Amino acid sequence: MDKERGNTQKKRNSSLYLPEVATLINKREMTPDDSFFEFQLKNRSLGHLPGQFAEISVPGIGEAPISISSPPSKSRKFEMVIRRVGSVTGALHALKVGDSAGIRGPFGAAFPMAALKGRNLLFISGGIGLVPARSAILYALEHRQDYKDIIILFGCREPAQRLFTDALAQWQKREDIIFHESVDRTNGAPWHGNVGVITTLLPKLGKVNPVDTYAIVVGPPVMYKYVIMGLHDMDFSDDHIILSLERRMKCGVGKCGHCQMNDKYVCRDGPVFNYDRIKHLQEAI
Amino acid sequence: MEILKISKEDFNSFIDEKRTASAPLEGPGDSISGHAEKWKTIGVVKKGANFVFAELNSAAELCLDYDVTVLPPKKYFLPPKETLLKFIPKKAESYAAVNHPGPIALIGVHHYDLAAIHLMDRAFSEGERDEHYMKRRENSVLIGIYPTKHYKYRFSSSVIRGQFRKAADIMLVAMNGFFVVEILTEKGKNYLQGAELQENDFSLADIEAAANKIKDDQKIPLPIELVPEFLEKNHDHSAWDYFGGKCFSCASCVLVCPTCYCFDVRDEVDLTLEAGKRVRTWDSCMLEDFALTGEGFNFRAGRGARFRHRIYRKGKHLFEKYGYFGCVGCGRCAGSCTAGIAGPVKVLKYMLEHKQ
């Protein structure tokens, strides 16, 4: 299945590292560590596809690769959920509505949404993996008639770390979506749902046709191996498993070397990979 | 294109004239401001017991009879630290690209370093073109020379072919008080305008013999075409634990490597807090945090895995991507390694001798 790519950044004579200006138009806290950001570019839409990322920067602090969580349909606006883990993400968290940031991108290979038309989609998202997955989930829901069953599984460490809680509640209610959710532990919070790692949700699905279904898996590095084992138990073939991987990145364009995994540059050859194409790479999963 | 010759004295006086001359408008120069700039003339000079590429104050400093330079000439195209952007802190509207390299001539670049530059040209021009590197290259003239001195770690004959000629504008062959001058590009021809070039009267056979006079002591122990598959089959070879156990993760091998181009990007702010710049610096996959993500996942935490990655990048990944072996056989890594293990010849020999 071929990778899909959005409009790449416009050619610049001066420097491919020169960011454009994006204005923060909306921001809210989702968890103590994760905040939702909505940005708007001055003169154009970002032109991304579901699953792509952008390099976002604060001048004087630095630049970081961040997944885009909105579908392409939002015109000149795009959304991100940023976890505060270091200096750049810390500076982004300090931005106020009306402030600006630098943006380069979109970068990377997208989820092959067009090629998945007419199939069942099984989204398996762990923790902050819901952020890139959401761009594809919302795209699929906007084009609901193009896909057969849409199954969404979401898991995170504890109830306080749930992201997009409004969307989760909606998906729970919708009759044209199969939705299951789990937390690894309740940590004392009120919780009536499933407790256990995300793979404990797979048996709840009953019979899923592995030939007509594609699994889209995004989560922390430790999750992939176990989810793939679970999917194999459900008779999924490797080419029906689509992953989005995380790596350290600097340039976003396959040059700086940080994200390299065997001979692949995750920033450019990925971050979305068909498992069949990378299962032989020892540095992948 | 053409083969001529020039006496070494005439060559030196020409270089001295050139050092103070302006670069032509249509050729290398600052096309943005529209005025010609002085050539920056770089050559190989002696520094203590070693040789280095440095800016010439006089052509008399040139030492073209050398074994190897401490650092490859890569530093003129991908500087150890360079400014990519300037900005006012916290003001994203203020980002501005910095990219106005002046004309530069490099004199005395060995063929393996030229092969390395050709590989870097491929890496920085393919896909998203890196104008910071490419403009420096476009504004440069490379005058190559075939080695005239032996270097005990060199094995370039077993890993490079003719690709060095794709980077060179001019190749020199040292012969009896003369340089035979092979002009390979229009840029090279323009640069040499005004030089006391004479008709070449050395036979091609003699030139060939002089160019290949220095034989390497070392060679890669298997044909380079077989290396990618050999590495592919030996991902779990005991060599990685063995060399990983000896490696200090000091990154010397990467610092001196002419084909290592991985980099870091970070911001620096003036003490006034009123101006800042985004800089690119050399980085190394041998350092522990090279693949460490913000969330604390390290995808190449072990020294053995990092050592393997460096060897795979040279012997497999770059080779498969660009069609040229990713190591040019300069031997600098072997010569600079604190633990005495970095040289690809040593690594491949060990792997062959300790088959699993």
Side-chain angles (χ1 to χ4, degrees):
Chain A
M1 188 168 300
D2 282 334
K3 298 283 166 55
E4 295 184 17
R5 233 165 249 283
N7 304 324
T8 46
Q9 193 180 14
K10 288 214 171 66
K11 285 274 167 277
R12 286 146 195 246
N13 290 328
S14 54
S15 172
L16 69 93
Y17 306 102
L18 181 65
E20 288 174 75
V21 177
T23 306
L24 181 61
I25 56 172
N26 191 358
K27 182 191 174 197
R28 68 172 189 274
E29 192 176 271
M30 275 191 167
T31 76
D33 292 328
D34 306 293
S35 283
F36 169 89
F37 294 78
E38 188 174 23
F39 289 102
Q40 183 161 12
L41 283 174
K42 208 169 182 182
N43 300 315
R44 66 171 185 113
S45 71
L46 189 59
H48 70 288
L49 292 168
Q52 288 191 302
F53 69 96
E55 291 278 354
I56 181 160
S57 63
V58 178
I61 310 296
E63 194 173 50
I66 304 287
S67 297
I68 301 156
S69 62
S70 50
S73 54
K74 286 201 76 182
S75 151
R76 286 164 59 212
K77 298 168 188 170
F78 62 93
E79 300 165 5
M80 293 173 157
V81 171
I82 301 172
R83 176 165 292 176
R84 181 167 38 202
V85 293
S87 54
V88 177
T89 49
L92 290 166
H93 271 245
L95 293 180
K96 296 182 189 71
V97 168
D99 287 348
S100 55
I103 287 281
R104 293 191 299 127
F107 294 124
F111 293 114
M113 300 310 292
L116 296 178
K117 266 190 187 180
R119 307 293 194 142
N120 304 313
L121 304 179
L122 167 56
F123 291 97
I124 304 176
S125 309
I128 201 163
L130 183 61
V131 175
R134 177 179 178 261
S135 65
I137 292 171
L138 295 185
Y139 178 93
L141 294 178
E142 283 172 2
H143 302 82
R144 186 64 193 87
Q145 70 288 353
D146 286 348
Y147 303 96
K148 291 202 244 176
D149 291 351
I150 294 181
I151 309 164
I152 303 171
L153 306 183
F154 173 63
C156 62
R157 257 175 277 161
E158 54 189 81
Q161 295 199 324
R162 296 169 76 235
L163 301 171
F164 296 108
T165 47
D166 294 350
L168 297 179
Q170 276 179 26
W171 298 343
Q172 182 82 58
K173 279 186 214 141
R174 269 177 82 147
E175 299 207 334
D176 59 348
I177 301 174
I178 300 161
F179 177 80
H180 294 284
E181 194 184 349
S182 187
V183 294
D184 295 352
R185 54 179 184 268
T186 60
N187 210 13
W191 180 254
H192 304 293
N194 191 76
V195 177
V197 293
I198 194 162
T199 44
T200 59
L201 296 176
L202 291 173
K204 294 185 187 299
L205 297 178
K207 183 73 191 146
V208 174
N209 178 352
V211 179
D212 211 21
T213 307
Y214 281 80
I216 293 176
V217 186
V218 198
V222 64
M223 191 186 94
Y224 293 101
K225 190 168 80 178
Y226 298 102
V227 168
I228 290 165
M229 281 161 54
L231 291 168
H232 283 166
D233 287 344
M234 295 163 73
D235 294 325
F236 272 72
S237 61
D238 292 334
D239 63 350
H240 279 48
I241 302 174
I242 296 160
L243 315 169
S244 175
L245 301 182
E246 180 195 0
R247 288 294 185 277
R248 181 176 186 147
M249 292 175 189
K250 287 285 181 175
C251 71
V253 292
K255 299 197 195 294
C256 79
H258 286 273
C259 70
Q260 209 178 350
M261 150 182 112
N262 290 69
D263 61 331
K264 305 275 186 247
Y265 287 93
V266 174
C267 70
R268 210 170 85 167
D269 302 319
V272 173
F273 292 98
N274 191 306
Y275 180 57
D276 193 43
R277 298 270 178 93
I278 56 162
K279 63 181 176 186
H280 62 288
L281 303 180
Q282 299 88 345
E283 295 187 337
I285 301 299
Chain B
M1 277 168 81
E2 44 186 331
I3 298 180
L4 298 156
K5 72 170 187 180
I6 188 169
S7 76
K8 289 187 178 173
E9 293 85 58
D10 285 345
F11 181 76
N12 277 8
S13 22
F14 172 70
I15 295 301
D16 272 333
E17 277 168 39
K18 213 65 186 172
R19 277 195 314 110
T20 52
S22 291
L25 271 177
E26 67 278 11
D30 187 341
S31 54
I32 294 164
S33 64
H35 64 77
E37 285 184 35
K38 296 265 186 280
W39 287 97
K40 187 172 175 179
T41 306
I42 307 296
V44 178
V45 302
K46 205 154 178 18
K47 187 176 181 182
N50 298 309
F51 296 95
V52 297
F53 281 98
E55 184 162 8
L56 296 177
N57 299 307
S58 154
E61 296 172 348
L62 265 180
C63 284
L64 295 184
D65 188 25
Y66 72 99
D67 53 1
V68 69
T69 57
V70 176
L71 291 182
K74 171 181 87 178
K75 62 183 178 178
Y76 294 105
F77 307 115
L78 183 71
K81 182 176 177 181
E82 70 178 301
T83 302
L84 300 176
L85 308 172
K86 285 192 170 174
F87 53 73
I88 299 166
K90 305 278 172 80
K91 286 197 165 48
E93 300 76 12
S94 68
Y95 280 123
V98 177
N99 190 16
H100 307 296
I104 184 171
L106 263 68
I107 303 167
V109 184
H110 278 169
H111 62 330
Y112 49 81
D113 279 338
L114 290 164
I117 290 171
H118 181 58
L119 189 84
M120 300 250 299
D121 290 351
R122 294 286 302 272
F124 283 99
S125 62
E126 63 110 27
E128 299 259 359
R129 197 178 146 92
D130 188 310
E131 290 296 343
H132 300 270
Y133 175 93
M134 293 309 293
K135 270 203 180 140
R136 287 200 185 88
R137 277 291 288 122
E138 282 161 13
N139 287 6
S140 69
V141 171
L142 297 185
I143 303 176
I145 190 164
Y146 293 91
T148 50
K149 263 200 165 65
H150 185 257
Y151 177 55
K152 65 174 176 176
Y153 293 112
R154 189 188 299 145
F155 56 100
S156 53
S157 319
S158 60
V159 288
I160 65 168
R161 309 271 152 83
Q163 74 265 33
F164 66 92
R165 297 168 67 86
K166 294 185 179 177
D169 295 298
I170 297 160
M171 282 305 294
L172 304 177
V173 186
M175 296 185 77
N176 312 332
F178 283 89
F179 289 121
V180 169
V181 180
E182 187 183 5
I183 302 172
L184 292 163
T185 65
E186 207 55 41
K187 202 155 72 167
K189 189 175 181 170
N190 290 338
Y191 182 79
L192 285 177
Q193 263 174 18
E196 295 287 330
L197 293 166
Q198 307 168 28
E199 204 168 301
N200 169 50
D201 51 6
F202 294 104
S203 77
L204 287 181
D206 285 350
I207 298 171
E208 183 85 12
N212 297 311
K213 182 174 77 175
I214 303 299
K215 303 291 177 214
D216 297 340
D217 283 355
Q218 304 211 32
K219 63 174 194 170
I220 287 279
L222 68 171
I224 54 171
E225 288 73 18
L226 301 182
V227 174
E229 200 193 334
F230 177 72
L231 291 177
E232 178 68 45
K233 285 182 180 159
N234 284 290
H235 195 271
D236 299 318
H237 197 287
S238 60
W240 312 125
D241 279 344
Y242 173 76
F243 289 112
K246 292 181 178 294
C247 175
F248 291 110
S249 275
C250 70
S252 297
C253 51
V254 168
L255 270 174
V256 299
C257 179
T259 64
C260 274
Y261 57 85
C262 287
F263 57 82
D264 191 20
V265 179
R266 63 167 192 268
D267 284 7
E268 290 184 352
V269 176
D270 286 0
L271 285 174
T272 61
L273 301 182
E274 283 166 6
K277 54 194 181 183
R278 185 153 295 162
V279 298
R280 160 155 76 187
T281 59
W282 289 354
D283 205 344
S284 170
C285 63
M286 300 301 285
L287 298 174
E288 189 177 10
D289 63 356
F290 185 76
L292 179 69
T293 66
E295 287 220 66
F297 299 108
N298 194 340
F299 292 94
R300 221 173 280 112
R303 272 179 286 183
R306 295 202 295 277
F307 194 92
R308 175 178 57 206
H309 180 65
R310 177 178 145 265
I311 295 293
Y312 272 53
R313 213 173 133 95
K314 306 298 179 197
K316 185 172 186 298
H317 306 332
L318 291 175
F319 195 13
E320 289 170 343
K321 191 167 184 189
Y322 298 119
Y324 301 110
F325 202 64
C327 164
V328 294
C330 69
R332 287 184 180 98
C333 58
S336 70
C337 180
T338 321
I341 53 168
V345 172
K346 187 169 217 170
V347 175
L348 289 172
K349 275 187 177 163
Y350 180 93
M351 292 176 75
L352 287 166
E353 285 161 12
H354 297 80
K355 281 205 169 158
Q356 284 183 315

